[in-house]
């Protein structure tokens, strides 16, 4: 019997299961990479928008501070008119609103940075659990080695089996010859 006509056993099923498992792990890894890249890109875009907003708010804040400083120096001057007082109140309210917005954006940024750090740690942990970058290749190499070893054992067993079949054939022929002699002797 050659290797192509041999019966399928549990080891072949295990090999197929191992290949299927390896393929599932590769797909999961590619999906994780894609998700990580998408999340990193999205996070970078959000951070850039927030940085632009913060810069705008800072410049607006500086402008408002200058206006407040001008108004404070104007306070030393004669009394403000009701219109000027309402303008000053509006400017102060706007300053407070922008200051609150800046603080809110800082909080959001810190939360996003914390989440990015957490995801990076999670990705590193998953890589370590999977056995690193070469885990799939190493698993495939070990699986191929096991297949070769088992094929060698199967060949040895088949050789013994064929020898036994040949010996049984020889013994049957001998038995048939002896039966023929017995029949001839009994006549």
């Amino acid at each position: 019997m050659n290797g192509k006509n041999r019966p399928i056993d549990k080891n072949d099923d295990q090999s197929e299961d191992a290949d299927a498992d390896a393929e599932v792990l590769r797909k999961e890894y590619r999906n994780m990479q894609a998700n990580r890249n998408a999340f990193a890109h999205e996070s970078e875009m959000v951070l850039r928008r927030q940085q632009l907003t913060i810069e705008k708010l800072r410049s607006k804040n500086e402008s408002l501070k200058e206006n407040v400083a001008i108004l404070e120096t104007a306070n030393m001057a004669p009394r403000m008119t009701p219109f000027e007082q309402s303008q000053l109140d509006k400017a102060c309210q706007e300053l407070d609103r922008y200051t609150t917005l800046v603080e809110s954006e800082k909080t959001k940024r810190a939360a996003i940075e914390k989440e990015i750090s957490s995801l990076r740690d999670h990705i590193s942990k998953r890589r370590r659990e999977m056995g690193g970058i070469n885990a799939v290749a190493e698993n495939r190499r070990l699986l191929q080695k096991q297949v070769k070893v088992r094929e060698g054992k199967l060949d040895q067993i088949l050789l013994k089996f064929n020898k036994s079949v040949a010996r049984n054939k020889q013994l049957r022929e001998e038995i048939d010859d002896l039966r023929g002699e017995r029949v001839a002797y009994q006549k």
Side-chain angles (χ1 to χ4, degrees), residues 112-157:
I112 289 172
E113 287 176 353
K114 183 177 179 182
E115 189 174 351
I116 288 171
S117 174
S118 171
L119 287 172
R120 283 182 180 152
D121 291 343
H122 180 71
I123 289 169
S124 296
K125 180 181 175 186
R126 291 290 294 189
R127 281 184 180 159
R128 276 183 258 121
E129 287 174 358
M130 289 174 53
I133 295 171
N134 299 326
V136 173
E138 182 67 21
N139 288 339
R140 178 170 283 157
R141 187 184 64 74
L142 289 174
L143 188 61
Q144 288 173 347
K145 183 177 178 183
Q146 286 178 348
V147 167
K148 285 180 183 178
V149 167
R150 290 185 180 162
E151 283 177 348
K153 286 181 181 179
L154 180 62
D155 288 341
Q156 289 174 357
I157 290 171

Side-chain angles (χ1 to χ4, degrees), residues 102-113:
V102 167
E103 291 301 318
S104 171
E105 291 299 317
K106 284 181 181 178
T107 304
K108 287 179 187 177
R109 180 181 177 184
I112 289 172
E113 287 176 353

Side-chain angles (χ1 to χ4, degrees), residues 64 71 80-94:
L64 289 174
L71 290 175
M80 281 193 270
T81 64
F83 175 74
E84 292 172 337
Q85 185 63 41
S86 70
Q87 290 293 92
L88 178 62
D89 290 342
K90 285 180 186 177
C92 287
Q93 287 173 357
E94 197 171 331

